[in-house]
Amino acid sequence: MSTMTDTHDDHDDHDHKPTGITRWLYTTNHKDIGTMYLWFSFTMFLIGGFMAMIIRAELYQPGLQIIDPNFFNQMTTVHGLIMVFGAVMPAFVGLANWLIPMMIGAPDMALPRMNNWSFWILPFAFSILLASLFMEGGGPNFGWTFYAPLSTTYSNDSTAFFIFSVHIMGMSSIMGAINVIVTIFNMRAPGMTFMKMPLFVWTWLITAFLLIAVMPVLAGTVTMMLTDKYFGTSFFDAAGGGDPVMFQHIFWFFGHPEVYIMILPAFGIVSEIIPTFARKRLFGYSSMVYATSSIALLSFIVWAHHMLTTGMPVAAELFFMYATMLISVPTGVKVFNWVATMWKGSMTFETPMLFALAFVILFTIGGFSGLMLAITPADFQYHDTYFVVAHFHYVLVTGAIFSIMAAAYYWLPKWTGHMYDEKLGKTHFWCSLISVNVLFFPMHFVGLAGMPRRIPDYALQFADFNKIISIGGFAFGLSQLIFLAVVIKCIRGGEKATDRVWEGATGLEWEIPSPAPYHTFSTPPEIK
Ligand code: CU1
């Protein structure tokens, strides 16, 4: 197996080499599939971002002006679904595909044909979801959390399509997770013991177990919703003996670990980048592994912090409050380790490092507002306000998305063979950094003052802040076009990337050459 990577380079012409679209349709190569995941993710990021612009345009001033409330609800719902399942998760799966085999010295993912499937069912899932917006009555309008009975009794006819598309996304994620686990367990190069694996591989291994644990719960939730709406059951209908609050318990048993699915790989990325640009080894490697595992385990016992206002027994409220606060301990360990890694390092500040540093600072802000939300009595004030929106956008945009940007800049030279335009990259970073804070920071203030989330209109006293927020939103959206320009420019050419792009970078992925992949379902020639 180990000879496969070195024999297949650009000049190796052999039969069955598909070109054009069939190359991408049939490919079983982890790099091709990783590339497709990343482009898919970026496309979804732009579509979901466009929906955010519609939301911010409507909220630019009080009163209803450009869209009606039903369409506004569809925009908030589909924006959330697209960003979670279409942008953030596929980006991490794309990075996993590209990097995990190289980082552990494997020739490819363990199950390459399944890998092809996990990608290629995704465009169908999202076509169905987006097409549902054009159905009579419109697409899903019940929020990305699709609480019953809103999503069952009061939802429109496109709900069946929403459920079908969630099922397909779930299948894709489960197949991707199985592939990651099997690859890491079975295909590590000799000498690559578990405690020698790069942190990105570790965080993805733990993420994959989270995915396998909770995606079936999501599938169960939407299936119960399906039978409630179309087949006469009453799981979530009090009139038939069911319980709408049970919906929230089941949903958040999936939903909270899902939050960590979207952040653990980010921790891994940042743990690769900071040591490189500090020119020091990662401080506290094993504590990073244990902290990540602790966060993953704790994520299963905190779900009801999303439901502190549903009237649970006080003992349960206290349990979920304290369990949630406990997560800040391993998270604090990680932040400490990143800072300790930089301590007395000889640091430089290229674009990947800038995004990684912004991640550490801004993700921590999201962590602190999470801590505030966890405090049960205080949550009665914050619940369902813009404070919550501010919190999770700090965690997901300046957290997850910033880490993805950092990763893209860091590994673009590896992927394309060219250096990206550093000046343009820095411009992208500073525009994003400033606008993202103008966009999300004032949301804390309007939230604390009581502005509700998911409403197309608001009281007059929130007008000034909302105008500022919208301006920040448009600026952040436009800034991402700079990133698109950087990537296209880098693919098309530019300064050739050297063997060791980043002085100070360690890790097997820099040692292994990046030959053009062998292709498709045909047997590689030397195994014939
Ligand atoms: Cu949560």
Side-chain angles (χ1 to χ4, degrees):
M1 288 293 271
S2 61
T3 54
M4 264 154 62
T5 37
D6 15 347
T7 51
H8 289 84
D9 52 38
D10 290 273
H11 318 292
D12 191 11
D13 252 324
H14 51 81
D15 298 342
H16 321 296
K17 185 175 175 182
T19 50
I21 185 76
T22 47
R23 169 187 167 188
W24 300 101
L25 272 176
Y26 294 167
T27 184
T28 55
N29 181 279
H30 70 106
K31 292 170 189 165
D32 279 357
I33 295 172
T35 302
M36 289 195 292
Y37 264 112
L38 289 168
W39 274 113
F40 178 79
S41 155
F42 192 65
T43 310
M44 287 295 133
F45 179 59
L46 293 182
I47 295 175
F50 182 70
M51 291 172 177
M53 302 282 158
I54 295 174
I55 293 168
R56 280 326 312 176
E58 177 56 50
L59 294 174
Y60 184 76
Q61 57 184 31
L64 294 175
Q65 39 266 316
I66 44 174
I67 51 171
D68 67 83
N70 184 36
F71 189 68
F72 184 90
N73 290 342
Q74 292 172 45
M75 285 297 99
T76 55
T77 304
V78 182
H79 163 73
L81 290 166
I82 294 261
M83 288 307 202
V84 168
F85 295 103
V88 175
M89 292 170 71
F92 285 140
V93 181
L95 292 169
N97 262 291
W98 253 102
L99 297 167
I100 289 176
M102 290 198 291
M103 284 178 160
I104 62 172
D108 201 325
M109 295 294 278
L111 305 159
R113 296 183 188 197
M114 193 168 81
N115 207 10
N116 175 292
W117 264 88
S118 16
F119 174 77
W120 274 112
I121 60 176
L122 270 188
F124 292 93
F126 286 89
S127 302
I128 291 167
L129 182 65
L130 288 171
S132 76
L133 286 170
F134 302 97
M135 288 179 66
E136 206 176 308
N141 59 1
F142 29 66
W144 88 275
T145 51
F146 48 97
Y147 281 6
L150 189 58
S151 62
T152 49
T153 312
Y154 304 103
S155 58
N156 52 40
D157 287 335
S158 64
T159 306
F161 291 86
F162 158 81
I163 292 169
F164 189 40
S165 93
V166 170
H167 272 307
I168 303 174
M169 296 169 200
M171 283 187 254
S172 164
S173 292
I174 290 171
M175 287 194 281
I178 290 172
N179 228 333
V180 166
I181 292 171
V182 179
T183 305
I184 295 173
F185 273 26
N186 291 340
M187 308 214 3
R188 276 168 295 124
M192 179 60 74
T193 58
F194 275 100
M195 290 311 271
K196 280 186 183 156
M197 294 194 312
L199 244 282
F200 179 73
V201 181
W202 255 116
T203 52
W204 237 113
L205 179 63
I206 295 165
T207 302
F209 278 107
L210 287 184
L211 278 166
I212 290 198
V214 302
M215 291 320 272
V217 179
L218 174 66
T221 320
V222 290
T223 305
M224 289 157 94
M225 211 180 118
L226 182 81
T227 61
D228 264 19
K229 187 168 173 64
Y230 297 102
F231 298 98
T233 59
S234 328
F235 289 113
F236 308 128
D237 181 6
D243 182 0
V245 176
M246 184 177 71
F247 175 92
Q248 296 186 33
H249 280 293
I250 299 172
F251 177 83
W252 285 113
F253 189 80
F254 145 79
H256 191 81
E258 167 67 23
V259 173
Y260 290 93
I261 288 165
M262 291 187 283
I263 206 66
L264 295 187
F267 291 165
I269 291 164
V270 170
S271 304
E272 302 297 332
I273 292 175
I274 288 182
T276 296
F277 295 96
R279 286 157 189 89
K280 274 179 66 197
R281 287 181 57 169
L282 183 69
F283 184 90
Y285 171 90
S286 48
S287 70
M288 284 300 214
V289 174
Y290 299 132
T292 312
S293 314
S294 314
I295 292 170
L297 289 174
L298 286 170
S299 78
F300 286 104
I301 57 162
V302 298
W303 75 90
H305 62 206
H306 298 271
M307 306 167 54
L308 295 174
T309 62
T310 54
M312 284 186 295
V314 174
E317 306 231 316
L318 290 176
F319 172 81
F320 286 109
M321 173 169 88
Y322 289 125
T324 303
M325 291 176 151
L326 209 55
I327 297 185
S328 57
V329 177
T331 312
V333 169
K334 298 187 85 82
V335 174
F336 178 86
N337 286 345
W338 290 323
V339 175
T341 304
M342 291 184 272
W343 181 253
K344 291 187 172 175
S346 46
M347 290 167 62
T348 53
F349 301 93
E350 289 87 343
T351 312
M353 182 62 159
L354 291 174
F355 271 104
L357 286 175
F359 171 94
V360 174
I361 295 162
L362 298 177
F363 173 79
T364 304
I365 292 179
F368 280 134
S369 58
L371 214 46
M372 289 171 70
L373 285 161
I375 303 167
T376 304
D379 186 64
F380 279 79
Q381 169 72 13
Y382 310 147
H383 188 88
D384 260 337
T385 69
Y386 256 81
F387 190 81
V388 180
V389 179
H391 158 69
F392 68 74
H393 280 91
Y394 265 88
V395 172
L396 287 173
V397 180
T398 60
I401 304 251
F402 268 36
S403 83
I404 294 163
M405 293 295 176
Y409 282 105
Y410 188 59
W411 283 295
L412 257 179
K414 178 76 190 171
W415 298 336
T416 64
H418 302 127
M419 282 308 290
Y420 63 86
D421 184 331
E422 185 67 49
K423 219 174 185 173
L424 217 51
K426 286 209 167 89
T427 311
H428 171 226
F429 169 75
W430 286 108
C431 289
S432 298
L433 182 81
I434 294 164
S435 58
V436 87
N437 284 293
V438 175
L439 164 57
F440 295 125
F441 209 81
M443 287 186 184
H444 292 111
F445 307 144
V446 287
L448 289 175
M451 179 174 157
R453 61 191 284 205
R454 290 176 168 166
I455 305 281
D457 193 12
Y458 49 83
L460 275 178
Q461 70 265 31
F462 305 126
D464 292 344
F465 275 131
N466 271 286
K467 192 165 275 183
I468 295 169
I469 292 168
S470 287
I471 291 168
F474 301 139
F476 183 69
L478 287 175
S479 305
Q480 302 323 303
L481 299 179
I482 307 175
F483 178 67
L484 181 64
V486 173
V487 174
I488 291 173
K489 204 175 159 195
C490 185
I491 291 171
R492 287 185 149 185
E495 194 192 321
K496 249 197 158 5
T498 52
D499 279 353
R500 183 54 55 111
V501 179
W502 305 117
E503 172 217 342
T506 54
L508 224 48
E509 85 269 23
W510 302 106
E511 314 292 337
I512 291 174
S514 270
Y518 67 87
H519 316 268
T520 79
F521 290 87
S522 58
T523 315
E526 73 271 27
I527 303 183
K528 263 184 219 163

